[in-house]
Amino acid sequence: MLTIQGVTGGYNGRSIVKDVTFQIQEGEFFGVLGPNGSGKTTLLKMISGLLPLIGGSIQMIEKDLSSYSSKELAKIVAVLPQLSGEAFSYTVEEIVQLGRYAHQSGLFQSLTFNDDHIVEKVMKQTGVYEFKNKLLHELSGGEQQRVFLAQALAQQPKILLLDEPTNHLDLAYQKELLDLIKRMTKENRLTVLSVFHDMNLTALYCDRLLLINNGKAIKVGTPGEVIQEKLIQQVYDTQVKKHIHPIVPKPQLAIIPEKLNDDTMFVIDEKFLQRDEESLVLKSPLPLKAMSSAVINPGVGWFQTFVNRHVSKDYQCENHHEEMAEYLTAKGYPLTNTVGMMTAVMMEDAVWKYINSEGFSVFIVVTAGVGNAVDASRGVVHSSAYLPGTINTWIFVNGEISDEAYIQGIATATESKVKVLHDLNIKDPRTGTIATGTSTDSILVAATQKGEYLQYAGTIAPLGKVIGQGVYDCIVSAIKNSRTRMDMK
Ligand code: ADP
């Protein structure tokens, strides 16, 4: 659809864009990214025919750009116009009608029935039809942007060129505009080339990207190929970290702000833990990066308060998430900042241990009941009914740990738990075989993310050794505590 071959161009004989080559297929949403002043707008001006090329060629629908008359070009390519002062005294409908100009034959022709039909259709598509008689200045920024998009679409272009179309738009309007454009690429095979500076939006919407720097093409590819930590760091000379989008498989980048006064060192240990009959609560002075299977705020996040709450054996679990949220709120633990677990085990039987190692330390807190012991390899014979008796394990690491260390830490702790049940000969009452845990166990690994960097937590890594031994010891003691209580009954 569009072939840019060795394109060079700029102003007053000075090349800004240098030897850029890429191709765009029909129906593709193609994004151009690059630092300020890298030549994105200049490239767009050359593609829209506003700026002559110094070198190279641009093929548009199998014909060279230079062989199109401006009127011919306007039937194929539309450029989303930037806000201009004079447009403000026109009505929405009039502005959209201007988009039909390219299709009228001869000067001073009036719009045909077909033109009217197209104008109405694009106004409806872009959601501006309801205020077609309003003046542009009576509309919000997002609505104005949609009017200009309607004008561009009224041209019925094959190719739409956009320069930072979401500039000045709030979150909802950004999404709305880009959803609409994306839909047009899918449904109408519209080909879109857009300059962006918001990398995360670009990654979400574009099929492929061009990254340019100092006028040169650095990389062309899918968002996953182009938005790479190292590449973006080099080109923008800025520290960034790649992370996942929670819903769609597209890369996202997080900016890392300069550290301001948050170098306060602290060590998570017993002094931050409070216990009463109802709960165990650990309140950290600063948020910890946590990964857990908790009831409230499971998954990964930054949290400051960690609650393991005792509930009665007859606790009704149909709505346990909601009930637990109400409980935490009533107790003054903000849901945005709290990880919450529950157990029928008595809080008195909880066990904790602080283990200091070379350059880092670990604080482990466990509550363990095995009334609900299950052999995981034979879980199929069990019903799915909730039974009390749960092993809840908290592992706080005073150190900076990697993503793999979080997962390995959970695996190592689980291996230790399985070993405890084996060594204590705890059986699954249904199968008579040695149990591996209970059906409602929960685990948390949380780290200060300060101090020593610990990449691994497998069973023989320094951190893994501490977790393996510490979790084993704590679960053994906690099970013994709750068993002693049972025996005394
Ligand atoms: P970007 O869109 O990536 O921010 P531009 O293409 O707007 O970058 O600008 C690239 C370079 O071209 C800048 O150094 C800018 O100063 C220069 N430039 C842009 N427009 C003109 C112009 N009309 N005349 C001369 N130089 C220009």
Side-chain angles (χ1 to χ4, degrees):
M1 177 56 95
L2 197 57
T3 302
I4 315 292
Q5 186 63 47
V7 159
T8 297
Y11 311 91
N12 311 319
R14 191 166 75 94
S15 299
I16 300 286
V17 171
K18 296 161 197 142
D19 195 18
V20 168
T21 297
F22 63 96
Q23 289 179 356
I24 307 180
Q25 308 303 322
E26 187 187 353
E28 215 178 351
F29 195 160
F30 190 92
V32 180
L33 274 179
N36 286 343
S38 56
K40 302 181 294 293
T41 302
T42 306
L43 177 66
L44 205 68
K45 281 184 193 163
M46 290 193 283
I47 297 170
S48 55
L50 290 172
L51 194 67
L53 311 189
I54 296 176
S57 66
I58 297 176
Q59 288 274 118
M60 216 171 253
I61 321 182
E62 290 157 18
K63 201 169 136 183
D64 200 273
L65 178 65
S66 58
S67 62
Y68 283 96
S69 71
S70 57
K71 186 134 188 177
E72 271 180 329
L73 199 60
K75 285 185 187 170
I76 297 172
V77 183
V79 182
L80 185 70
Q82 294 292 325
L83 290 179
S84 77
E86 55 204 76
F88 285 91
S89 52
Y90 289 93
T91 67
V92 167
E93 189 171 27
E94 283 164 348
I95 291 167
V96 179
Q97 280 166 348
L98 286 176
R100 292 305 303 156
Y101 168 74
H103 291 270
Q104 290 173 28
S105 45
L107 282 175
F108 310 116
Q109 291 279 320
S110 55
L111 294 181
T112 64
F113 176 74
N114 187 41
D115 289 327
D116 285 339
H117 175 71
I118 290 164
V119 166
E120 188 179 316
K121 185 173 132 196
V122 295
M123 284 197 295
K124 284 181 177 163
Q125 271 176 330
T126 51
V128 300
Y129 184 75
E130 60 191 277
F131 28 77
K132 63 176 184 165
N133 296 320
K134 280 197 175 180
L135 296 175
L136 193 69
H137 72 78
E138 295 174 289
L139 306 183
S140 75
E143 289 160 350
Q144 289 173 0
Q145 194 71 327
R146 274 164 28 216
V147 173
F148 288 120
L149 180 65
Q151 187 194 67
L153 294 175
Q155 268 176 259
Q156 294 204 302
K158 300 229 176 319
I159 300 169
L160 179 63
L161 303 178
L162 310 162
D163 197 350
E164 296 186 357
T166 55
N167 243 358
H168 314 303
L169 297 188
D170 73 20
L171 200 71
Y173 284 131
Q174 288 183 4
K175 178 188 136 52
E176 212 173 280
L177 189 82
L178 293 174
D179 278 346
L180 176 65
I181 295 170
K182 182 84 185 175
R183 220 178 304 131
M184 307 223 104
T185 64
K186 295 265 172 277
E187 290 170 7
N188 305 12
R189 308 292 295 153
L190 180 68
T191 304
V192 178
L193 186 153
S194 180
V195 166
F196 281 103
H197 66 196
D198 185 321
M199 214 161 300
N200 289 335
L201 272 184
T202 318
L204 280 182
Y205 285 94
C206 293
D207 300 308
R208 282 187 316 132
L209 307 175
L210 159 72
L211 176 66
I212 68 172
N213 194 21
N214 297 321
K216 292 197 182 120
I218 304 294
K219 182 118 191 154
V220 180
T222 61
E225 287 163 347
V226 175
I227 299 183
Q228 295 190 40
E229 236 168 65
K230 278 206 178 117
L231 191 62
I232 299 299
Q233 257 161 226
Q234 270 169 15
V235 169
Y236 288 81
D237 194 20
T238 299
Q239 267 263 307
V240 288
K241 199 97 183 111
K242 197 164 161 175
H243 60 103
I244 63 156
H245 188 284
I247 309 289
V248 295
K250 301 285 183 178
Q252 298 284 282
L253 284 182
I255 290 174
I256 303 159
E258 190 184 10
K259 281 192 180 157
L260 293 173
N261 309 325
D262 73 342
D263 283 337
T264 346
M265 290 305 285
F266 61 95
V267 170
I268 296 294
D269 60 15
E270 199 174 347
K271 68 178 171 295
F272 296 114
L273 189 70
Q274 296 160 15
R275 167 169 64 177
D276 57 28
E277 279 184 6
E278 233 177 55
S279 61
L280 272 171
V281 179
L282 188 133
K283 279 191 190 165
S284 166
L286 287 174
L288 308 178
K289 186 176 171 186
M291 179 183 277
S292 83
S293 60
V295 174
I296 299 294
N297 284 319
V300 180
W302 290 84
F303 301 100
Q304 231 170 322
T305 307
F306 303 86
V307 178
N308 187 5
R309 170 194 171 202
H310 168 75
V311 293
S312 105
K313 283 190 171 141
D314 320 313
Y315 179 79
Q316 292 299 316
C317 292
E318 291 87 49
N319 239 332
H320 70 299
H321 185 276
E322 210 171 290
E323 191 278 333
M324 180 69 165
E326 278 166 19
Y327 168 84
L328 293 175
T329 308
K331 288 282 163 189
Y333 304 124
L335 290 182
T336 49
N337 207 7
T338 303
V339 171
M341 294 181 182
M342 42 172 90
T343 177
V345 172
M346 307 306 278
M347 288 299 138
E348 265 175 71
D349 299 337
V351 172
W352 52 84
K353 189 171 186 178
Y354 176 80
I355 307 150
N356 208 354
S357 190
E358 262 176 55
F360 70 94
S361 60
V362 176
F363 183 52
I364 297 169
V365 184
V366 167
T367 55
V370 287
N372 175 25
V374 172
D375 173 353
S377 66
R378 302 187 183 195
V380 282
V381 305
H382 286 262
S383 76
S384 300
Y386 172 91
L387 292 163
T390 293
I391 302 174
N392 282 348
T393 308
W394 286 353
I395 300 159
F396 296 97
V397 180
N398 293 298
E400 182 185 354
I401 71 175
S402 69
D403 285 353
E404 60 257 56
Y406 275 92
I407 296 169
Q408 289 168 346
I410 289 171
T412 299
T414 305
E415 288 174 35
S416 283
K417 176 183 76 178
V418 172
K419 192 67 173 29
V420 171
L421 271 69
H422 176 269
D423 290 354
L424 297 184
N425 199 28
I426 292 168
K427 295 206 167 124
D428 177 333
R430 259 322 274 283
T431 62
T433 51
I434 291 181
T436 53
T438 86
S439 62
T440 47
D441 291 351
S442 219
I443 189 159
L444 163 97
V445 175
T448 56
Q449 296 302 78
K450 290 173 188 288
E452 183 98 351
Y453 180 65
L454 302 154
Q455 190 168 0
Y456 305 112
T459 44
I460 57 162
L463 176 58
K465 287 179 182 175
V466 172
I467 291 176
Q469 177 80 57
V471 167
Y472 182 91
D473 293 347
C474 287
I475 297 181
V476 166
S477 306
I479 290 177
K480 284 188 175 158
N481 287 351
S482 62
R483 278 186 154 180
T484 311
R485 175 184 303 281
M486 296 291 194
D487 292 347
M488 286 188 322
K489 269 190 186 169

